[in-house]
Amino acid sequence: MQSSFFIIPAPRGLELQAWKLFGIFVGTILMLMLQGLPEASAIFVGVSAAGLFVVPLKDVLVGYTDTTVWLIVVAIMMSLGFKKSGLAKRVGLMLIKAFGKSSLGLGYVLGVTDLMLATTIPGAPARVGGLVYPLAQGIFEVVGSKPYENPRRLGAYLTVLLYMMDMVAGSLFMTGMGPNLLSMKLAAQILGVQVSWGLWTLAAVPGFLVFILLPYIVYKLYPPELISVEEVREMAREQLSSLGSVTKQEMIAGVTFFLCLLLWATSSMSQIDTTLVAFLGVTVMILTDVIQWKDIADSNETWGILIWFGGIIGLSSALDKLGFFKWLTIVMKDALPQGIGTFTTFVIIALLAIIPHYVFPSLLGYVATFAPVIFSFVAVTGAPKYPATFLVAFLMVISSALTHYGNGLGPLLMATGYVEKTAWWKIGFIVTLLATLVYLTIGLAYWKLIGLW
């Protein structure tokens, strides 16, 4: 497809270089969608093509010097410390022991565990697939709930619930999902907005309401057969006992985690760069032997994200430099009907952020493809920038719940065999609808109250 952009003349008002680079960008996104290559490999091909045929390579490699990229990469390095030290597992077991009296209670416990991890681990497969879901699988074993033997006893409920809760949890923090920072980078390029870690979380407060309601809603839509799970608490007691006392590495990881959260939340007052905070957190963990460089070097996810995230930001930066987004804004402005009210505009923005997600198997590809288009639409409509930006960013992540392939975690959990596809899609639609209604009502009012528009 990208070759056609080299043959077809550029649209009126757009430079030929920008048109060619857009073709390479589209081709790269298609590779991400079709999943013929791993994400990092697809981006590598796109970056190489851009440097070979269109722009100087340095104009694309600028993405790898961006602090936004390094915030995500270093946050993943920090997450290695939480896992290796055993802190994440201990906290999960402690919560199960304290609150895991019922199936509904377990849903809340595992969801809150994921929520805490979402503050620093920007990947759903790593967070739930690597840390939270293994805890859940231990619970399934205790109560005898297997994919093809009593799946509805407990396994089906917690499996689909964890996916839904993770999509919401990932939207609540800037570091909750890697593409969150890509959204903010694109919003800064196109709309000129500047969003800190603290402002993101402050704006996401209405989303916490959705998160709190989810276990109960899924419990009613897709109830487990098992109500009381006291035996699970005994399992947690036994595993905690086998772990022994809190280790030095766990204490260091816990203190580092708390201090990083505190510095991120207060960065607008302290003026300490959020990426620097993450670097300091990893430095502390390395110097105290919580993690070693070998752990970081062996982490495929860390370096894969560096390649794809830096590359996609580099390509978008090069497009911006060539005036592509300004041209797109003008085109959309000319095509837009006049007299659209502010609330109607917000509704259109919300629908644009949600509906196309049905055809995207990658959250990264979805954000990279549609966020620039929607932000350009925001620019031409004159809608309040900050509410519109957050509406797009939050709903793009939450709409991953619509299907079992909307985020990399989905195929992993669906492959367990606990949940039927029809049930998954039905619950995902209701969760996405709930979040959309909350943000279009309570969210808009709340953002008005705190002065975002």
Side-chain angles (χ1 to χ4, degrees):
M1 170 173 278
Q2 68 186 41
S3 61
S4 63
F5 287 81
F6 285 72
I7 299 171
I8 301 172
R12 183 178 179 182
L14 184 66
E15 291 185 14
L16 180 60
Q17 269 191 309
W19 180 240
K20 290 180 177 180
L21 185 59
F22 178 61
I24 291 173
F25 184 80
V26 170
T28 304
I29 297 302
L30 280 175
M31 283 192 286
L32 291 174
M33 289 176 60
L34 299 174
Q35 297 181 325
L37 290 172
E39 290 178 336
S41 299
I43 296 297
F44 208 91
V45 172
V47 168
S48 299
L52 182 62
F53 297 115
V54 185
V55 295
L57 185 60
K58 65 179 181 179
D59 288 356
V60 184
L61 292 183
V62 70
Y64 295 102
T65 66
D66 195 288
T67 56
T68 302
V69 175
W70 283 98
L71 174 57
I72 288 294
V73 170
V74 181
I76 292 175
M77 295 178 186
M78 272 178 39
S79 74
L80 298 175
F82 303 141
K83 185 174 183 178
K84 186 181 178 183
S85 68
L87 177 65
K89 182 176 182 180
R90 185 182 294 273
V91 169
L93 290 171
M94 289 172 64
L95 288 171
I96 291 171
K97 177 185 174 183
F99 304 106
K101 297 179 182 180
S102 66
S103 297
L104 180 60
L106 283 175
Y108 277 103
V109 165
L110 293 171
V112 169
T113 303
D114 178 34
L115 182 70
M116 292 189 295
L117 295 172
T119 57
T120 52
I121 302 179
R127 193 165 62 238
V128 173
L131 295 170
V132 181
Y133 197 66
L135 281 176
Q137 288 174 311
I139 294 171
F140 303 160
E141 186 176 336
V142 170
V143 300
S145 181
K146 300 177 182 179
Y148 304 106
E149 183 181 337
N150 304 314
R152 292 297 301 273
R153 180 175 289 177
L154 184 60
Y157 165 68
L158 287 182
T159 297
V160 74
L161 173 63
L162 279 175
Y163 183 77
M164 302 302 160
M165 293 192 82
D166 186 67
M167 295 308 103
V168 177
S171 73
L172 299 178
F173 305 100
M174 187 185 286
T175 45
M177 295 283 189
N180 290 351
L181 284 97
L182 175 58
S183 292
M184 291 304 94
K185 193 68 182 179
L186 292 168
Q189 290 173 351
I190 299 169
L191 298 175
V193 300
Q194 298 297 325
V195 178
S196 65
W197 191 93
L199 179 59
W200 177 293
T201 304
L202 179 65
V205 166
F208 282 89
L209 173 62
V210 179
F211 184 86
I212 291 169
L213 292 174
L214 271 187
Y216 182 76
I217 291 172
V218 177
Y219 189 85
K220 289 298 183 182
L221 291 172
Y222 199 58
E225 296 169 353
L226 201 61
I227 305 302
S228 175
V229 286
E230 280 292 337
E231 62 266 42
V232 173
R233 300 180 75 190
E234 184 58 35
M235 175 208 75
R237 290 189 188 96
E238 291 175 1
Q239 290 196 25
L240 276 172
S241 178
S242 67
L243 288 177
S245 302
V246 177
T247 65
K248 176 183 176 183
Q249 283 75 16
E250 288 177 83
M251 291 180 64
I252 294 170
V255 171
T256 303
F257 172 80
F258 175 77
L259 290 177
C260 285
L261 284 187
L262 182 64
L263 289 171
W264 279 338
T266 59
S267 61
S268 59
M269 294 181 287
S270 66
Q271 298 301 307
I272 300 176
D273 186 85
T274 51
T275 305
L276 176 59
V277 171
F279 266 93
L280 292 173
V282 172
T283 299
V284 169
M285 289 186 176
I286 290 174
L287 292 177
T288 54
D289 208 33
V290 173
I291 55 174
Q292 299 172 339
W293 179 253
K294 186 178 185 302
D295 300 316
I296 297 173
D298 290 344
S299 172
N300 293 331
E301 183 186 12
T302 301
W303 306 115
I305 281 187
L306 173 62
I307 294 298
W308 72 248
F309 198 21
I312 206 76
I313 285 185
L315 288 170
S316 68
S317 296
L319 279 171
D320 183 53
K321 187 176 180 180
L322 292 174
F324 177 81
F325 295 126
K326 289 182 180 178
W327 170 82
L328 181 61
T329 301
I330 293 171
V331 170
M332 294 184 75
K333 185 175 183 179
D334 291 341
L336 189 70
Q338 301 299 313
I340 299 178
T342 301
F343 183 74
T344 302
T345 302
F346 279 132
V347 172
I348 294 172
I349 290 169
L351 293 175
L352 288 174
I354 293 169
I355 294 174
H357 211 152
Y358 271 110
V359 298
F360 272 81
S362 163
L363 179 58
L364 164 65
Y366 184 55
V367 171
T369 303
F370 276 94
V373 176
I374 305 173
F375 289 142
S376 296
F377 176 79
V378 172
V380 302
T381 58
K385 293 181 180 180
Y386 280 91
T389 295
F390 287 125
L391 196 62
V392 173
F394 298 159
L395 292 182
M396 280 193 136
V397 176
I398 295 172
S399 62
S400 299
L402 288 170
T403 68
H404 62 286
Y405 52 77
N407 181 284
L409 176 65
L412 189 156
L413 297 187
M414 175 59 77
T416 63
Y418 277 105
V419 187
E420 323 89 76
K421 189 185 298 182
T422 52
W424 190 297
W425 282 45
K426 173 186 172 184
I427 294 168
F429 175 81
I430 292 172
V431 169
T432 304
L433 178 62
L434 172 65
T436 304
L437 293 175
V438 166
Y439 276 119
L440 284 174
T441 53
I442 297 172
L444 290 177
Y446 168 72
W447 294 332
K448 187 82 169 179
L449 181 65
I450 63 174
L452 287 181
W453 64 300

